[in-house]
Amino acid sequence: MEFAELIKTPRVDNVVLHRPFYPAVEGTLCLTGHHLILSSRQDNTEELWLLHSNIDAIDKRFVGSLGTIIIKCKDFRIIQLDIPGMEECLNIASSIEALSTLDSITLMYPFFYRPMFEVIEDGWHSFLPEQEFELYSSATSEWRLSYVNKEFAVCPSYPPIVIVPKSIDDEALRKVATFRHGGRFPVLSYYHQKNGMVIMRSGQPLTGTNGRRCKEDEKLINATLRVGKRGYVIDTRSLNVAQQARAKGGGFEQEAHYPQWRRIHKSIERYHILQESLIKLVEACNDQTHNMDRWLSKLEASNWLTHIKEILTTACLAAQCIDREGASVLIHGTEGTDSTLQVTSLAQIILEPRSRTIRGFEALIEREWLQAGHPFQQRCAQSAYCNTKQKWEAPVFLLFLDCVWQILRQFPCSFEFNENFLIMLFEHAYASQFGTFLGNSESERCKLKLQQKTMSLWSWVNQPSELSKYTNPLFEANNLVIWPSVAPQSLPLWEGIFLRWNRCSKYLDEAYEEMVNIIEYNKELQAKVNILRRQLAELETEDGMQESP
Amino acid sequence: MEHIRTPKVENVRLVDRVSPKKAALGTLYLTATHVIFVENSPDTRKETWILHSQISTIEKQATTATGCPLLIRCKNFQIIQLIIPQERDCHDVYISLIRLARPVKYEELYCFSFNPMLDKEEREQGWVLINLSEEYKRMGLPNNYWQLSDVNREYRVCDSYPTELYVPKSATAHIIVGSSKFRSRRRFPVLSYYYKDNHASICRSSQPLSGFSARCLEDEQMLQAIRKANPGSDFVYVVDTRPKLNAMANRAAGKGYENEDNYSNIKFQFIGIENIHVMRNSLQKMLEVCELKSPSMSDFLWGLENSGWLRHIKAIMDAGIFIAKAVSEEGASVLVHCSDGWDRTAQVCSVASLLLDPHYRTLKGFMVLIEKDWISFGHKFNHRYGNLDGDPKEISPVIDQFIECVWQLMEQFPCAFEFNERFLIHIQHHIYSCQFGNFLCNSQKERRELKIQERTYSLWAYLWKNRTDYLNPLFRADHSQTQGTLHLPTTPCNFMYKFWSGMYNRFEKGMQPRQSVTDYLMAVKEETQQLEEELQDLEERLEKIQKVQLNCTKVKSKQSEPSKHSGFSASDNSIANTPQDYSGNMKSFPSRSPSQGDEDSALILTQDNLKSSDPDLSANSDQESGVEDLSCRSPSGGEHAPSEDSGKDRDSDEAVFLTA
């Protein structure tokens, strides 16, 4: 098969692996079509299994005939392999380079991965749009499922099924689609059961410079308003950027045509600005030489936390409109596939207790990221070590996960999942044996037949044995809206992801374990006490019966 | 009382720092010890108490149409902004507070009027809770190498040292006195910590009066005696915690540092910790950043960096780590000094001891550590923390930095400390509060003269009595993290040191995590304990019944209701459920609801809310302060306004957003 051609040297002995905080390991290095494996061939010593697709960049250097390959991974880990023999080293390096940059999706590992576990619940069917809609349909009859995009003809980046106002027919939707960027007509993102307010999302309206309008569009979004109520359009671009977009045929909702809507502009960055931010941040985290002050200024210069603050603030604003102002919200940026989704999904974390549970969060990712057409394939093709300038990479999803972590840190008892769950999702978005994050949209995933040919991440994660790793022992269902603080003092660096490989986490891991133990022991006792109470009660009633004739 | 120009001002507004448009209307009282603001709102009658000794600065700002604003900054980082309707009242309050916040006699301080209703015996017991003689015994002293010296009885040699001092056995009184004459303020080298495992010790002193060439035989003998007291090592480290340049400058004034050529077998080392003036300015700069109204992330990070605060924290930690390594790994004794040996030396010795000895990471051990390295060795609490009116240039956050170092370590080693963050915060608070006598004066000698122990109460007894509030649920005496020396990574990890918002922004409750893992776990542990007891009880009863049944007797056992365990929750959802100000540049989107305001400046502490709300700091104050006309020992202070759908949340301010 094809891989064999790329693997010039499949095996090298006496390779030494260096990782921070671990002793060096000597062993045999093997390359397979999808993995780089280092085995010490001793019992109970660790082996390294690294997906080629997790490799972001490699460096090589030579001292005499000893070659060294430095592998920089998409999860920010950096490892070093010392390989004896210049030729072997060169061969290995070029194989890794080739295997980690395969063009064809169908050559990716998910298409070859055979699960070693029994699939109890097929994750591909865990979160069907119809089921999700049922949750709403008991509360409201103002919305309906539309199959207008069945063949992906109306909007290539939308799923086949979307939720739209009941009063708007498919014909109108087709018209609206022509007025919205990428055909992304406004659809329901979230229904706030408490007061019936909604979050909708879309692409930008294609008003252009001459202020084009679309009656159906106006009718559609007005259909979501209650009588006498006003709504908010949150544009995730600054007014300036939105105005410039008109020159390229884009634009924003003019007050004159949408009198019931107030427009708010926020400024969430996109694309290369975010990618550069990530590159700078990871560089700062990996630099161990600078003094205290340089660390802070590099952290500042990366702007990562500025992005976090901006995204969270916008999400809070949206949530506030819904919950406090009692007003519905339409959110879009340009395409409606990046900053829009960050805001809609974070607003739901704030507003909706269900999205803070494990299944609810999975459903949220399925709905607001995968189905909503976030182009994972493009955005996650490269990570912090990429040095080639490519236009489409951006850590949009990672920023979202970071924001969730920030809320989790502020409300440590309100989430059913823990930090590890977020880290796991980050890893799988960038490199995975599962097909979940492949492709850029539902239509691409359909064409790739991912459901038939690959395994869903959820099938694996939702096994009880896996779930236990990701369950937050502190969780106590909290049915309230949670309002995070967005003050800079409240938004620290997410060490669990950015300093993960640069610090010794032993003591923190021990603390987590201790926490689990405290809670487990309590539950154990609770169970024991309950059993004894019941026994005692039974014995006593027996007693009583014996007593009374 | 003669300094109070006006005891009561009505219709004063207390401004919410986060959303300035919100202000609570109420009455301001000035008492001999406190500033008290009582809200008019009949539901809450919320009280805010500020001790005069906590007041750092008072600023009268330009009068506006609404009144005359008065800004009070406190040493525990609380900021109070009042608007007083009449300029004349404002001026009276201002003048009164200026005087009240700067007492000139110790007798004016709160601890002399504070009465926690303990009898004489209890008070005396409180003062012996922390016993330094016991502590030296615990270290394994006296022994073959170290002895208790009475050379400083009646403070004859050094008036800023305690009377009870440990010195090397071979250091005769002649050597000690000779050495003391060659050291600033006669602070000769004495033992601070003895490391039983390998006989190495940490000693402390002030700088030698070496000038450019002076030497002193007795001082050299003193260092040699220290070296000999550690048979495991053939040298002594001498650590000068100052930047080299500062130490060199001191030589011109006849002071300076040890010349390696004159002292046999010493290894001399500079560790550049800046002086008290640099530290004071650094804190000032950092607090300005904390005070910024809706700063951007860049404002904050830049400001934090420019303050240099975390760099100074790191320098102190680095010095402590160096000494702990020298002692535990190299087995070498260390003599630490700075200029006078009561600021940086105290910081560094106590950080090193904390790293070396798990005892100091327990509640009691930590009190002992502060008692030993700070209180007994003459850290000038009065000057540094401005308890009495004095030279503002003497004020510096020296012990604050040490307390922060401990917090930074707690973040790294979450299971290693028996106490929690709240313990540190309360100690910091009371260093400034002057509610207890422990931190009064500049030396043991002054405290004895003032008869502190007979006239005031001990903080340690108070903290010990309430120790359950201060426990770290993750601490287990048998946990591996608890044992031995704490090892910090050798590679320079600057990201290890983080901004401590729990301290410097602690009155901005909205900025803190809204659910406390510590409190949650403590509640779980408490319940676990009850369950353990119940389990035992149930087992016994079951056994009894089974026995009885076997005997076929019909004795009905008497039952008590099994205790009910309600769910625990450390998370106060009413706090959780309050939006912040997300408007940023949109000025017209105020969003804090009143229910949050209730939480913000919780320094009101009536008995009712001691447990329920934020840890009490100025507890009992309403009973002792002699405020007659306060009819409002608010029982509601600790209650949180019911959250979610409370009508209050939909207040008019938010509507502004719509019309803006």
Side-chain angles (χ1 to χ4, degrees):
Chain A
M1 67 165 292
E2 306 94 324
F3 297 122
E5 294 161 22
L6 299 173
I7 304 170
K8 292 173 189 155
T9 305
R11 227 189 84 170
V12 189
D13 288 323
N14 304 319
V15 172
V16 181
L17 166 70
H18 301 272
R19 288 170 293 186
F21 303 105
Y22 287 94
V25 184
E26 187 177 328
T28 302
L29 179 74
C30 298
L31 289 187
T32 73
H34 295 105
H35 285 96
L36 179 152
I37 303 160
L38 188 112
S39 161
S40 62
R41 309 215 158 182
Q42 279 160 8
D43 298 336
N44 73 40
T45 32
E46 273 178 74
E47 296 183 333
L48 173 77
W49 280 73
L50 190 68
L51 265 177
H52 293 316
S53 55
N54 190 5
I55 296 173
D56 206 26
I58 66 168
D59 291 339
K60 42 186 188 289
R61 22 168 228 259
F62 293 93
V63 179
S65 67
L66 180 76
T68 294
I69 300 179
I70 294 166
I71 299 179
K72 299 174 177 175
C73 302
K74 289 177 186 165
D75 59 13
F76 312 138
R77 174 171 32 166
I78 296 180
I79 56 173
Q80 182 186 327
L81 295 170
D82 292 344
I83 299 171
M86 188 180 288
E87 198 191 331
E88 281 84 356
C89 185
L90 283 171
N91 283 347
I92 294 285
S94 69
S95 301
I96 294 175
E97 263 167 13
L99 290 165
S100 61
T101 52
L102 292 176
D103 282 334
S104 166
I105 292 188
T106 51
L107 288 179
M108 304 286 270
Y109 187 48
F111 288 92
F112 298 83
Y113 170 72
R114 292 292 158 260
M116 302 289 281
F117 60 91
E118 195 196 343
V119 177
I120 305 163
E121 180 195 340
D122 184 354
W124 289 119
H125 306 300
S126 292
F127 308 101
L128 298 176
E130 290 92 339
Q131 290 168 2
E132 293 291 310
F133 181 66
E134 264 171 41
L135 294 173
Y136 292 149
S137 52
S138 58
T140 171
S141 56
E142 294 161 359
W143 298 85
R144 67 178 182 99
L145 286 176
S146 165
Y147 299 83
V148 68
N149 199 38
K150 209 165 46 202
E151 310 292 335
F152 306 105
V154 177
C155 172
S157 62
Y158 268 176
I161 309 172
V162 290
I163 305 173
V164 295
K166 200 165 214 170
S167 57
I168 305 296
D169 62 22
D170 284 358
E171 205 37 57
L173 293 178
R174 284 196 189 90
K175 282 199 183 127
V176 176
T178 63
F179 182 65
R180 291 275 172 180
H181 193 116
R184 294 175 70 91
F185 54 88
V187 295
L188 181 81
S189 161
Y190 170 68
Y191 178 84
H192 196 46
Q193 302 229 357
K194 195 172 102 185
N195 59 10
M197 295 302 127
V198 296
I199 298 177
M200 286 179 300
R201 53 177 158 75
S202 68
Q204 65 179 342
L206 303 174
T207 56
T209 38
N210 48 12
R212 217 181 121 210
R213 60 190 285 197
C214 170
K215 291 274 183 209
E216 288 79 5
D217 188 78
E218 291 158 24
K219 194 177 158 213
L220 191 162
I221 73 165
N222 284 337
T224 66
L225 292 179
R226 302 263 166 90
V227 182
K229 283 274 188 183
R230 303 220 299 176
Y232 291 91
V233 176
I234 296 180
D235 193 324
T236 61
R237 306 163 295 179
S238 68
L239 179 60
N240 212 358
V241 173
Q243 277 167 343
Q244 283 164 9
R246 289 193 297 195
K248 292 183 210 147
F252 50 86
E253 293 80 0
Q254 303 278 355
E255 274 94 352
H257 305 151
Y258 299 85
Q260 284 162 282
W261 294 82
R262 268 185 55 81
R263 213 176 57 244
I264 303 172
H265 288 277
K266 298 298 269 183
S267 174
I268 300 180
E269 295 292 352
R270 302 187 314 146
Y271 298 140
H272 66 278
I273 293 178
L274 299 182
Q275 189 68 11
E276 277 158 24
S277 173
L278 177 67
I279 292 169
K280 279 190 198 157
L281 174 65
V282 171
E283 200 179 85
C285 294
N286 286 339
D287 179 0
Q288 313 248 320
T289 56
H290 45 64
N291 60 31
M292 191 69 222
D293 282 1
R294 296 235 347 253
W295 157 246
L296 283 174
S297 68
K298 284 189 160 191
L299 179 62
E300 191 275 327
S302 78
N303 272 327
W304 184 263
L305 291 170
T306 301
H307 300 312
I308 294 289
K309 181 167 153 61
E310 198 57 51
I311 296 165
L312 262 179
T313 304
T314 311
C316 289
L317 188 71
Q320 203 162 18
C321 290
I322 298 275
D323 189 66
R324 297 285 155 148
E325 303 293 333
S328 286
V329 180
L330 169 67
I331 298 169
H332 67 75
T334 305
E335 292 92 346
T337 54
D338 294 281
S339 54
T340 304
L341 305 181
Q342 288 172 330
V343 175
T344 58
S345 51
L346 286 167
Q348 292 178 53
I349 298 277
I350 293 165
L351 293 168
E352 164 78 301
R354 192 175 86 97
S355 64
R356 294 172 229 142
T357 65
I358 291 180
R359 276 198 86 91
F361 191 68
E362 290 171 355
L364 182 79
I365 287 176
E366 190 70 36
R367 216 170 54 229
E368 290 299 304
W369 289 87
L370 293 162
Q371 305 256 346
H374 176 66
F376 277 97
Q377 192 80 36
Q378 289 179 346
R379 297 287 179 267
C380 302
Q382 294 251 267
S383 171
Y385 303 115
C386 77
N387 28 31
T388 51
K389 276 249 186 295
Q390 277 165 311
K391 205 181 158 191
W392 303 111
E393 283 82 5
V396 176
F397 187 62
L398 176 59
L399 278 161
F400 159 70
L401 293 175
D402 194 334
C403 290
V404 176
W405 177 81
Q406 300 285 354
I407 308 177
L408 168 63
R409 198 191 74 91
Q410 295 186 27
F411 296 89
C413 307
S414 297
F415 287 79
E416 193 189 7
F417 50 86
N418 59 19
E419 179 179 4
N420 291 333
F421 188 62
L422 300 173
I423 296 173
M424 180 274 293
L425 289 170
F426 159 68
E427 288 178 334
H428 283 281
Y430 280 83
S432 178
Q433 65 269 44
F434 303 104
T436 298
F437 292 109
L438 290 182
N440 291 309
S441 64
E442 280 301 284
S443 79
E444 282 190 33
R445 277 178 215 111
C446 252
K447 277 179 211 132
L448 289 165
K449 296 199 169 55
L450 291 182
Q451 296 207 9
Q452 293 80 40
K453 294 187 172 170
T454 73
M455 179 65 55
S456 160
L457 172 64
W458 313 129
S459 305
W460 176 68
V461 169
N462 287 338
Q463 304 172 92
S465 60
E466 285 303 312
L467 273 184
S468 64
K469 290 184 216 163
Y470 303 125
T471 307
N472 176 9
L474 301 169
F475 178 59
E476 297 243 305
N478 172 359
N479 283 320
L480 302 173
V481 176
I482 54 176
W483 299 105
S485 161
V486 295
Q489 289 96 320
S490 313
L491 303 174
L493 177 72
W494 186 6
E495 296 181 19
I497 225 143
F498 295 107
L499 302 178
R500 187 177 174 196
W501 313 103
N502 303 330
R503 61 166 188 186
C504 168
S505 64
K506 180 171 172 264
Y507 304 115
L508 302 178
D509 295 344
E510 283 173 1
Y512 185 81
E513 235 168 78
E514 188 63 28
M515 190 170 85
V516 172
N517 289 342
I518 289 170
I519 291 165
E520 289 298 309
Y521 179 56
N522 176 279
K523 284 185 182 152
E524 229 171 80
L525 279 182
Q526 189 81 61
K528 272 189 198 162
V529 164
N530 285 342
I531 291 171
L532 287 189
R533 275 187 199 160
R534 218 173 302 133
Q535 278 183 7
L536 201 64
E538 275 165 23
L539 284 174
E540 279 166 3
T541 43
E542 272 173 42
D543 245 16
M545 288 198 315
Q546 283 168 359
E547 214 169 87
S548 57
Chain B
M1 292 302 250
E2 71 272 23
H3 309 302
I4 302 173
R5 291 188 170 203
T6 174
K8 179 175 166 186
V9 185
E10 284 177 344
N11 296 320
V12 172
R13 266 166 306 150
L14 177 68
V15 179
D16 186 323
R17 292 249 320 129
V18 181
S19 45
K21 277 187 189 153
K22 285 210 180 81
L25 195 65
T27 306
L28 186 74
Y29 299 88
L30 298 189
T31 75
T33 53
H34 288 81
V35 183
I36 306 157
F37 179 82
V38 183
E39 282 182 22
N40 286 350
S41 161
D43 320 338
T44 55
R45 301 288 282 168
K46 195 181 135 200
E47 300 167 23
T48 305
W49 294 62
I50 308 288
L51 262 169
H52 296 329
S53 46
Q54 285 291 1
I55 296 176
S56 169
T57 61
I58 312 151
E59 208 180 295
K60 220 173 94 183
Q61 295 168 326
T63 310
T64 65
T66 48
C68 191
L70 196 66
L71 190 69
I72 303 174
R73 289 193 183 82
C74 298
K75 295 169 181 173
N76 61 4
F77 314 118
Q78 186 170 20
I79 298 174
I80 297 281
Q81 193 177 357
L82 299 166
I83 297 176
I84 298 171
Q86 299 296 321
E87 209 279 331
R88 203 174 52 90
D89 287 335
C90 184
H91 186 71
D92 282 347
V93 171
Y94 175 73
I95 295 294
S96 308
L97 286 181
I98 287 277
R99 175 60 187 83
L100 292 167
R102 308 264 176 278
V104 290
K105 301 196 300 281
Y106 282 115
E107 281 72 10
E108 291 177 43
L109 294 174
Y110 184 39
C111 57
F112 290 101
S113 58
F114 172 66
N115 178 5
M117 311 287 180
L118 296 177
D119 59 33
K120 182 161 172 278
E121 199 184 329
E122 282 173 301
R123 192 185 64 208
E124 281 166 4
Q125 274 173 359
W127 281 111
V128 296
L129 179 76
I130 299 305
N131 181 334
L132 286 188
S133 310
E134 288 295 321
E135 170 57 15
Y136 287 111
K137 243 180 243 162
R138 190 197 64 87
M139 287 184 203
L141 301 177
N143 64 9
N144 285 337
Y145 304 107
W146 293 90
Q147 65 181 8
L148 183 63
S149 165
D150 65 350
V151 68
N152 201 36
R153 65 177 181 278
E154 291 159 31
Y155 308 101
R156 277 184 201 165
V157 178
C158 172
D159 61 1
S160 61
Y161 266 178
T163 49
E164 197 175 313
L165 288 166
Y166 277 85
V167 294
K169 244 188 180 158
S170 58
T172 60
H174 171 74
I175 292 177
I176 294 172
V177 173
S179 166
S180 78
K181 287 178 180 156
F182 190 64
R183 294 271 166 185
S184 275
R185 304 188 191 260
R186 301 189 135 220
R187 292 169 68 91
F188 56 92
V190 294
L191 183 111
S192 163
Y193 178 68
Y194 176 74
Y195 194 60
K196 257 195 294 227
D197 300 18
N198 62 11
H199 307 295
S201 63
I202 301 175
C203 296
R204 56 185 290 173
S205 69
S206 60
Q207 64 186 337
L209 304 176
S210 52
F212 290 101
S213 59
R215 39 192 302 193
C216 166
L217 186 62
E218 289 87 353
D219 195 59
E220 289 161 26
Q221 287 171 331
M222 187 74 194
L223 262 70
Q224 225 169 67
I226 291 171
R227 179 176 61 79
K228 280 190 202 143
N230 178 10
S233 175
D234 50 15
F235 70 93
V236 177
Y237 275 112
V238 176
V239 171
D240 190 326
T241 56
R242 298 168 294 184
K244 188 173 180 183
L245 216 62
N246 301 19
M248 285 169 73
N250 262 298
R251 291 203 298 190
K255 300 165 190 172
Y257 52 93
E258 290 81 355
N259 183 341
E260 269 184 338
D261 299 337
N262 298 342
Y263 293 81
S264 52
N265 304 315
I266 67 163
K267 287 191 184 174
F268 186 85
Q269 180 90 31
F270 282 113
I271 294 183
I273 302 174
E274 299 290 350
N275 64 28
I276 58 168
H277 311 295
V278 175
M279 299 307 192
R280 180 178 57 243
N281 292 335
S282 172
L283 177 67
Q284 184 55 41
K285 280 190 194 160
M286 182 174 73
L287 292 179
E288 279 164 20
V289 176
C290 296
E291 236 184 276
L292 289 176
K293 286 196 176 121
S294 39
S296 72
M297 190 54 85
S298 295
D299 294 341
F300 175 71
L301 291 174
W302 267 117
L304 187 58
E305 160 164 336
N306 287 336
S307 76
W309 182 258
L310 289 174
R311 190 182 66 222
H312 299 313
I313 295 295
K314 183 177 185 297
I316 296 164
M317 287 298 301
D318 285 347
I321 293 166
F322 175 85
I323 291 163
K325 279 216 167 98
V327 167
S328 69
E329 287 170 25
E330 293 185 64
S333 293
V334 185
L335 172 66
V336 186
H337 68 72
C338 43
S339 297
D340 290 319
W342 51 39
D343 294 315
R344 286 168 275 201
T345 301
Q347 288 176 330
V348 168
C349 287
S350 47
V351 168
S353 305
L354 197 75
L355 291 169
L356 286 167
D357 195 331
H359 178 63
Y360 297 129
R361 292 173 233 141
T362 64
L363 268 172
K364 228 178 198 165
F366 190 68
M367 301 177 191
V368 167
L369 185 66
I370 291 185
E371 189 73 34
K372 175 168 71 74
D373 277 329
W374 295 84
I375 298 175
S376 88
F377 279 115
H379 176 64
K380 301 199 294 173
F381 281 92
N382 176 38
H383 286 166
R384 294 293 173 263
Y385 312 115
N387 297 338
L388 293 188
D389 192 25
D391 181 359
K393 287 214 164 62
E394 281 281 322
I395 293 176
S396 187
V398 182
I399 201 166
D400 302 65
Q401 287 183 315
F402 165 64
I403 290 173
E404 175 164 340
C405 287
V406 180
W407 177 79
Q408 300 280 1
L409 281 170
M410 281 163 62
E411 287 286 290
Q412 299 293 311
F413 300 92
C415 304
F417 292 82
E418 192 190 12
F419 47 86
N420 58 28
E421 182 185 15
R422 191 181 297 148
F423 185 60
L424 298 179
I425 289 174
H426 284 197
I427 290 176
Q428 193 274 351
H429 174 91
H430 284 298
I431 284 166
Y432 291 94
S433 77
C434 301
Q435 186 173 343
F436 298 93
N438 305 59
F439 305 115
L440 248 48
C441 306
N442 291 320
S443 66
Q444 193 185 66
K445 181 167 177 258
E446 284 182 36
R447 276 187 296 274
R448 295 226 168 132
E449 283 165 1
L450 209 58
K451 299 198 190 327
I452 291 291
Q453 300 207 355
E454 284 129 74
R455 300 167 69 193
T456 73
Y457 294 84
S458 169
L459 171 66
W460 305 137
Y462 169 78
L463 293 176
W464 185 249
K465 199 174 118 201
N466 298 301
R467 61 188 171 277
T468 47
D469 290 345
Y470 301 124
L471 291 175
N472 170 13
L474 297 175
F475 176 82
R476 226 177 348 110
D478 58 351
H479 196 285
S480 65
Q481 228 177 91
T482 312
Q483 318 302 318
T485 308
L486 294 183
H487 293 285
L488 284 140
T490 41
T491 46
C493 297
N494 302 300
F495 42 71
M496 247 173 56
Y497 300 106
K498 294 177 286 194
F499 173 72
W500 188 8
S501 76
M503 175 63 94
Y504 304 106
N505 280 115
R506 72 191 169 94
F507 287 92
E508 258 82 47
K509 285 282 176 289
M511 280 187 195
Q512 311 305 327
R514 246 73 73 70
Q515 294 170 321
S516 157
V517 174
T518 298
D519 290 349
Y520 181 89
L521 290 176
M522 281 315 291
V524 172
K525 284 185 102 166
E526 198 180 310
E527 196 205 48
T528 299
Q529 206 181 346
Q530 288 169 13
L531 284 170
E532 275 171 344
E533 284 161 19
E534 190 186 347
L535 190 67
Q536 204 183 349
D537 176 56
L538 285 169
E539 275 167 352
E540 279 166 16
R541 277 160 52 189
L542 260 177
E543 208 176 311
K544 220 189 273 168
I545 290 183
Q546 278 161 344
K547 241 186 242 159
V548 169
Q549 286 190 334
L550 277 176
N551 295 341
C552 291
T553 56
K554 290 179 182 176
V555 183
K556 194 181 173 191
S557 64
K558 256 201 159 178
Q559 299 301 323
S560 63
E561 265 308 291
S563 62
K564 275 197 190 120
H565 301 288
S566 54
F568 26 72
S569 174
S571 48
D572 189 324
N573 284 327
S574 67
I575 316 176
N577 190 37
T578 316
Q580 310 264 313
D581 189 351
Y582 303 120
S583 53
N585 45 11
M586 294 184 51
K587 293 260 184 316
S588 57
F589 200 93
S591 51
R592 283 166 60 95
S593 69
S595 68
Q596 175 141 16
D598 290 344
E599 269 308 292
D600 269 346
S601 50
L603 255 198
I604 349 127
L605 296 141
T606 54
Q607 295 296 1
D608 303 280
N609 58 31
L610 276 184
K611 269 278 172 190
S612 62
S613 79
D614 187 54
D616 87 303
L617 291 176
S618 58
N620 306 327
S621 40
D622 57 337
Q623 286 163 5
E624 279 73 40
S625 53
V627 186
E628 302 292 327
D629 58 343
L630 279 175
S631 54
C632 44
R633 279 177 202 163
S634 152
S636 57
E639 306 283 334
H640 308 298
S643 53
E644 245 223 314
D645 290 314
S646 123
K648 291 170 101 190
D649 285 346
R650 308 178 153 270
D651 67 316
S652 51
D653 269 7
E654 279 168 17
V656 177
F657 170 58
L658 282 166
T659 52

